[in-house]
């Protein structure tokens, strides 16, 4: 559930009736997606010059009443200029869930245009759009986005530089000082797509493939605020770009915030310092 940002400040009598005020909010990792999981990311992709394609498959009879029309699947696909990377908006496609939250974006990369995806990253609703956009900007600028880079210290360093704490229970992981948000190199959830053959064979004598996972859970046993899964072969420097943005101490603009973290956030009317 999301809450409008009105509490704590008097309403501006000059503001139009019903108009939502904009606030600078922090910390970023608890600020949610402003109820706009598509717009912020799509705008960033447009700025990078990625092409967007929309595909609708299903039954659409112009003689039917709008409430009777059936669209079985609708896909928005954003493709990089060299066609080696893509970001798919899957929320409208009855997506699978991660941490009981629906996947909103799936991002993939490949080595050449004749090969399938080498890796995929999955972002649920609630993930701050700024962090997804910064991940995609790093992907767009990456010289070899389909070549794995295994340097877990890059991810840990990215968040500890912003005050996060090393996770004593994980060999590679960290948590924010409130112990709500986490990044960890560990077991990859089911259905996460990757070209690493270990993800397909599952042979008992092979080492279990690990990938970076991130999530926010406001309280033990409480619903997750958001969740992210990076498959095994996602380059760690790209994960570090996401982690650095997620843990950034810079505020973000919001009209609504998640109810679960409302009391943990600081905000001021936009244009004022936190």
């Amino acid at each position: 559930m999301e809450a409008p940002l009105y509490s704590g400040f008097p309403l501006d009598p000059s503001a139009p009736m019903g108009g939502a005020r904009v606030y600078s909010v922090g910390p970023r990792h608890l600020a949610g997606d402003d109820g706009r999981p598509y717009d912020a990311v799509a705008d960033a992709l447009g700025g990078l010059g990625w092409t967007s394609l929309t595909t609708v498959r299903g039954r659409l009879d112009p003689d039917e009443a709008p409430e009777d029309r059936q669209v079985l699947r609708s896909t928005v696909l954003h493709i990089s200029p060299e066609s080696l990377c893509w970001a798919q908006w899957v929320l409208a496609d009855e997506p699978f869930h991660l941490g009981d939250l629906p996947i909103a974006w799936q991002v993939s990369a490949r080595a050449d245009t004749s090969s399938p995806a080498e890796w995929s990253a999955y972002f649920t609703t609630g993930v701050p759009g700024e962090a997804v956009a910064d991940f995609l900007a790093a992907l767009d600028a990456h010289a070899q986005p389909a070549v794995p880079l295994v340097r877990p210290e890059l991810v840990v360093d990215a968040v500890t530089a912003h005050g996060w704490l090393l996770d004593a229970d994980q060999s590679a992981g960290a948590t924010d000082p409130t112990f709500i948000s986490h990044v960890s190199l560990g077991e990859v959830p089911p259905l996460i797509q990757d070209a690493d053959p270990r993800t397909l064979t599952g042979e008992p004598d092979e080492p279990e493939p690990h990938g970076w996972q991130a999530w926010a859970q406001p309280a033990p046993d409480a619903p997750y605020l958001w969740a992210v899964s990076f498959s095994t072969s996602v380059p760690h420097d790209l994960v570090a770009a996401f982690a650095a943005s997620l843990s950034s101490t810079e505020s973000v603009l919001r009209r609504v915030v998640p109810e679960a973290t409302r009391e943990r956030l600081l905000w001021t009317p936009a244009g004022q310092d936190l």
Side-chain angles (χ1 to χ4, degrees):
M1 180 182 294
E2 293 174 332
L5 287 172
Y6 288 127
S7 299
F9 295 98
L11 292 176
D12 182 355
S14 65
M17 291 297 293
R21 297 182 65 179
V22 180
Y23 291 85
S24 296
V25 179
R28 178 179 299 188
H29 61 95
L30 300 181
D33 59 18
D34 204 26
R36 302 168 63 244
Y38 176 78
D39 298 325
V41 177
D43 289 348
L45 290 170
L48 293 173
W50 289 35
T51 301
S52 62
L53 304 173
T54 302
T55 302
V56 177
R57 295 189 294 275
R59 180 165 166 259
L60 189 61
D61 188 339
D63 295 329
E64 287 183 317
E67 62 271 17
D68 295 329
R69 294 181 179 177
Q70 300 178 36
V71 176
L72 302 181
R73 185 176 176 88
S74 176
T75 299
V76 181
L77 188 66
H78 298 260
I79 306 172
S80 66
E82 72 286 353
S83 300
L84 296 181
C85 309
W86 60 94
Q88 184 175 353
W89 169 252
V90 296
L91 193 61
D93 299 343
E94 299 183 2
F96 67 89
H97 287 61
L98 187 64
D100 292 327
L101 294 170
I103 302 293
W105 287 97
Q106 177 179 344
V107 181
S108 303
R110 58 186 175 181
D112 57 71
T113 55
S114 63
S115 63
E118 294 291 329
W119 56 258
S120 292
Y122 301 79
F123 305 86
T124 70
T125 55
V127 179
E130 296 83 359
V132 182
D134 286 342
F135 172 79
L136 289 163
L139 173 61
D140 183 76
H142 205 290
Q144 295 179 303
V147 178
L149 173 64
V150 183
R151 290 183 58 193
E153 69 275 9
L154 294 175
V155 180
V156 174
D157 290 349
V159 294
T160 55
H162 293 152
W164 287 33
L165 309 172
L166 292 176
D167 192 337
D169 297 329
Q170 300 288 337
S171 58
T175 181
D176 81 285
T178 66
F179 301 98
I180 291 178
S181 298
H182 308 261
V183 292
S184 177
L185 183 62
E187 183 178 352
V188 179
L191 304 179
I192 301 302
Q193 299 177 8
D194 194 273
D196 189 319
R198 295 176 298 168
T199 64
L200 302 175
T201 60
E203 295 295 337
D205 58 340
E206 291 184 345
E208 184 178 298
H210 283 186
W212 282 99
Q213 315 302 314
W215 67 94
Q217 189 175 26
D221 300 321
Y224 289 96
L225 179 63
W226 52 260
V228 178
S229 181
F230 298 96
S231 72
T232 302
S233 300
V234 179
H236 288 186
D237 54 341
L238 291 179
V239 182
F242 169 81
S245 180
L246 178 72
S247 60
S248 173
T249 57
E250 293 184 8
S251 60
V252 292
L253 298 179
R254 293 291 185 267
R255 292 175 175 83
V256 295
V257 295
E259 188 71 36
T261 56
R262 183 178 178 85
E263 299 303 321
R264 297 179 180 271
L265 292 168
L266 299 174
W267 63 73
T268 60
Q272 299 184 20
D273 294 331
L274 285 174

